[in-house]
Amino acid sequence: MVSAYSPAQLTKYLKYLALPAAYEPWIQSPASYPKTEEALTTLFRGQITRFPYDNLDVHYAATSDVNIDPQAIYSKLMGVGESEPSGRGGYCLECSIFFSHVLRGLGFDVYSTGVRNRPRENGVPAGEFFGWTHIVNIVRLPSGVEYHVDAAFGGDGPTRPLPLISGQTSKNLGPQEVRLVYGNMAKQTRPEQKVWMYQYRNGVDREWNTFYSFAELEFFQEDFEVINRFTSWDALTKRNRWVVKFIRAGETGQFPLLEGEVKDVDDGVQVVGKVMFVNDVVKLNMGGKTRVIDTIETDRARVAALKKWFSLDIVI
C-alpha cells in the first residue's frame, strides 16, 4: 500500500520528532531513512513521546465519530501547510493509521492488523477477548525479522518495537517486562489457527498476563472504518476520558520529580516515564510507582490541567 503522505509532509514530521543529530541526513530524503532495528526503535520512541494517546475528540469535537482518514489525521496532529503541529495525538486507530503511513512513506515494509483486547478489572486484564477494537502495525525489515509496532495502547503499551519471536522478553518502563507469545486463546476451537498475544508482568517475580491478541492478517482502511464506529461509540457511552504521553529523557522539567527521579540526561530518544490523565485525575510514573499529581473538579480546571501537563489546547 502506498503512503498517503508526501515527502514534504514526512520531512515536517521528522523535524518535529527532534531525533538525534545522526538522523539529520534523512530529514530531506525521508524514503532513504535507515531500515534497521535501531532506527525503527528511535523513530517509534519519537512517535510515542510526541503524540499522546487520547480520546478527547470523542467528547469535545463537533462530532463524536472520530475521523480516521489519513489526511485528516495528519492535519489534526501536524497542522496544515506551514502551520505548527498541534501537540495533539489521538486514540489507537488515529495514531497507528498515521504511523503506518509514515512508515510506508519512509520506505518500510509494513501492514496493519486488527486486535482483540481483553476487558479489565481494577486495571488488570481478565476474562475473554473482545472483538476487534484495536490496531497494530507489523514491520518487516530487510533482515527478514518482523516487528510488532503498537504506537497507541496507552500506558501499558511497549516502549520499543517487539520482534515476532515467541517468548522473547523485552524490558519496558520501570520493572515491567513485555513479550509476544504465539499460541491460542482459550476459546479457540481450531488450535492450528494460532495468534500472537501481547503479555506483560510487573516484575520478574510476577506472573505473565495477556493484554490482547492479533493474527498475521492484513486489515485495510475499510476494516478500520467499521472498528472505528464501535470504538468511538464505546468511549462516548462509557464517558471515559484519557490522555497518556510517554516522557522523553531531557524533557522532564515540568514534572514534580521526587528524589532519585531526576532523569534530565538527554541520551538519544529514551523513554523515562509517562504522564496520564484518566477521568479527571493526573498521574505520573517515572519508572516506579504511579502517583497522583493533580485532580480536576471543574471544566475550567480540566482545560488548565490539559494545558499544563500535556500542552494541549482543548475547548470544552
Side-chain angles (χ1 to χ4, degrees), residues 57-274:
D57 273 8
V58 173
H59 304 284
Y60 302 127
T63 172
S64 59
D65 288 332
V66 174
N67 189 342
I68 60 170
D69 173 79
Q71 288 296 347
I73 300 172
Y74 187 96
S75 296
K76 173 187 172 183
L77 273 57
M78 290 298 302
V80 178
E82 298 299 319
S83 63
E84 292 297 317
S86 66
R88 287 294 307 277
Y91 77 164
C92 61
L93 293 168
E94 294 174 279
C95 288
S96 286
I97 289 174
F98 172 74
F99 197 46
S100 74
H101 283 275
V102 166
L103 290 166
R104 292 186 181 102
L106 298 183
F108 284 93
D109 180 359
V110 57
Y111 71 89
S112 304
T113 190
V115 175
R116 294 183 176 102
N117 278 313
R118 293 175 72 203
R120 300 198 192 193
E121 297 178 5
N122 298 318
V124 178
E128 291 287 2
F129 293 83
F130 288 144
W132 310 111
T133 54
H134 187 49
I135 173 178
V136 297
N137 292 307
I138 307 299
V139 175
R140 182 182 179 89
L141 295 184
S143 64
V145 180
E146 291 186 308
Y147 291 82
H148 154 281
V149 179
D150 188 345
F153 191 59
D156 289 306
T159 57
R160 62 176 303 119
L162 302 178
L164 265 61
I165 300 174
S166 186
Q168 180 170 305
T169 298
S170 178
K171 188 177 185 303
N172 219 31
L173 185 62
Q176 188 180 72
E177 295 180 325
V178 294
R179 69 180 184 182
L180 298 173
V181 172
Y182 194 56
N184 296 107
M185 297 177 288
K187 64 181 179 181
Q188 285 186 261
T189 62
R190 296 292 184 268
E192 70 277 8
Q193 296 179 4
K194 295 186 182 298
V195 298
W196 289 97
M197 287 169 280
Y198 174 57
Q199 298 184 330
Y200 78 102
R201 64 180 180 184
N202 290 328
V204 295
D205 58 338
R206 304 290 185 89
E207 294 293 324
W208 289 98
N209 198 1
T210 300
F211 275 122
Y212 61 66
S213 71
F214 62 94
E216 294 175 64
L217 172 67
E218 185 173 10
F219 275 44
F220 304 103
Q221 182 72 20
E222 295 82 1
D223 300 309
F224 295 121
E225 294 287 353
V226 175
I227 295 172
N228 187 50
R229 287 296 184 93
F230 173 79
T231 51
S232 294
W233 170 84
D234 189 54
L236 182 64
T237 55
K238 290 180 178 177
R239 302 186 65 80
N240 288 326
R241 297 174 177 84
W242 64 76
V243 185
V244 179
K245 187 175 183 180
F246 286 102
I247 304 168
R248 186 185 299 194
E251 298 180 353
T252 62
Q254 73 189 86
F255 301 107
L257 302 183
L258 301 177
E259 185 177 354
E261 286 185 335
V262 178
K263 298 182 178 181
D264 277 333
V265 177
D266 193 353
D267 181 20
V269 182
Q270 300 296 327
V271 177
V272 297
K274 57 189 176 183

